[in-house]
Amino acid sequence: MLETCLKTVFVYFLVIFAFRIMGKRQISQLQPNELVITLLISELAIIPIQDDIPFFTHGVFPMLLLVFLEILISFIMIKSGKLRKVICGSPVIVIANGKILQDELRKQRMAIEDLFSQLRNKDVFSIEEVKYAIIETDGRLSVLKKKDYEAVNAKDLKIEVKDEELQLVIVSDGEICKHSLSICNKNENWLKGILKKEKLTLQDIFIMTAEKSGKYNIIEKDKKC
């Protein structure tokens, strides 16, 4: 029983390590090769936990081999556009100038309902608004609207707008996020000064965000009744 528990814990951290090495992607954004590796690792992760199976040769080693293979293929695809095209395919235009390219839609085996659903997710409710709609290699739909349907922005109105700064969480539930604090070019002394000014302690804070300019925002923890 203890051996099984230890194996399970080891495999758990090994799988996390494997996916951490392979990069950060959501399931919906995986390329075909990444999805295959993900499914294979998920299946292999179960094998080492079984008592009657050699732990390393039938579980850990194949998982590590798959991770190495994925990193190798990803590196080669960066260098070779041809290999990337073979494995991942190419983006496909399915709408051009408000007209659905039916042949391309059939080749992608995409139902018209699915196309309209993805368009609505892009805040597009009429085909005529679309200049181009492209199915990317990961299956997502990219949309370029016609100029007449683009939202007016500050540049169009020739209005100068101050750029927004990156706002980072520097305190989360009473804990200091030191990495975020350093990105803001601030230190703990600066934070202590702010807390003293606001007459708060770290334990009073639910979330505190800050920008490089020094602008900050504090959300206090709910007071317990």
Side-chain angles (χ1 to χ4, degrees):
M1 183 66 180
L2 178 60
E3 182 181 354
T4 301
C5 290
L6 292 174
K7 286 182 179 179
T8 303
V9 172
F10 179 81
V11 170
Y12 171 76
F13 284 107
L14 180 61
V15 173
I16 290 177
F17 175 72
F19 285 112
R20 182 70 181 85
I21 288 178
M22 290 190 296
K24 299 179 180 179
R25 281 183 186 261
Q26 298 179 8
I27 293 297
S28 61
Q29 299 175 341
L30 293 178
Q31 298 290 354
N33 60 306
E34 295 169 330
L35 180 59
V36 169
I37 294 292
T38 300
L39 294 174
L40 288 175
I41 288 179
S42 299
E43 289 296 323
L44 286 171
I46 302 173
I47 297 175
I49 300 174
Q50 302 176 26
D51 293 331
D52 56 342
I53 299 294
F55 181 67
F56 185 81
T57 56
H58 286 67
V60 176
F61 178 74
M63 288 172 62
L64 294 176
L65 181 59
L66 285 173
V67 172
F68 172 76
L69 183 62
E70 166 58 21
I71 294 172
L72 179 62
I73 291 176
S74 297
F75 178 77
I76 295 174
M77 284 197 301
I78 292 174
K79 302 292 184 180
S80 173
K82 291 182 179 179
L83 178 62
R84 179 174 179 82
K85 187 175 181 179
V86 169
I87 294 179
C88 301
S90 302
V92 176
I93 298 174
V94 291
I95 299 177
N97 293 314
K99 181 181 178 182
I100 298 176
L101 305 183
Q102 298 179 31
D103 288 341
E104 294 296 341
L105 209 59
R106 291 191 191 98
K107 289 178 183 178
Q108 300 303 312
R109 296 186 296 280
M110 174 181 268
I112 193 68
E113 292 82 1
D114 294 333
L115 176 62
F116 273 79
S117 175
Q118 291 203 46
L119 286 173
R120 288 193 294 271
N121 287 332
K122 298 289 184 179
D123 295 326
V124 175
F125 293 87
S126 173
I127 292 291
E128 293 182 356
E129 298 179 27
V130 181
K131 180 73 172 178
Y132 288 104
I134 303 169
I135 300 177
E136 305 293 353
T137 55
D138 59 5
R140 290 180 298 169
L141 190 72
S142 298
V143 177
L144 175 64
K145 289 185 179 181
K146 294 178 180 177
K147 288 294 182 182
D148 293 343
Y149 295 96
E150 288 283 0
V152 178
N153 54 43
K155 184 178 180 180
D156 294 330
L157 299 174
K158 297 181 180 179
I159 299 173
E160 291 187 9
V161 180
K162 184 180 179 181
D163 288 337
E164 292 290 334
E165 291 191 23
L166 182 64
Q167 190 177 78
L168 298 171
V169 176
I170 59 173
V171 178
S172 176
D173 199 14
E175 295 290 331
I176 300 175
C177 304
K178 294 183 179 180
H179 180 64
S180 298
L181 196 61
S182 64
I183 292 176
C184 292
N185 294 331
K186 306 299 178 187
N187 53 38
E188 292 189 31
N189 289 332
W190 174 85
L191 177 58
K192 290 176 181 177
I194 297 297
L195 295 179
K196 184 176 180 181
K197 174 185 172 184
E198 299 291 341
K199 297 180 180 179
L200 295 169
T201 66
L202 281 173
Q203 300 309 314
D204 295 325
I205 298 176
F206 180 58
I207 294 175
M208 178 176 177
T209 60
E211 301 174 1
K212 286 185 178 181
S213 63
K215 183 180 178 181
Y216 63 89
N217 184 50
I218 296 175
I219 299 176
E220 295 182 40
K221 292 181 180 179
D222 292 334
K223 302 296 181 183
K224 295 181 180 179
C225 299

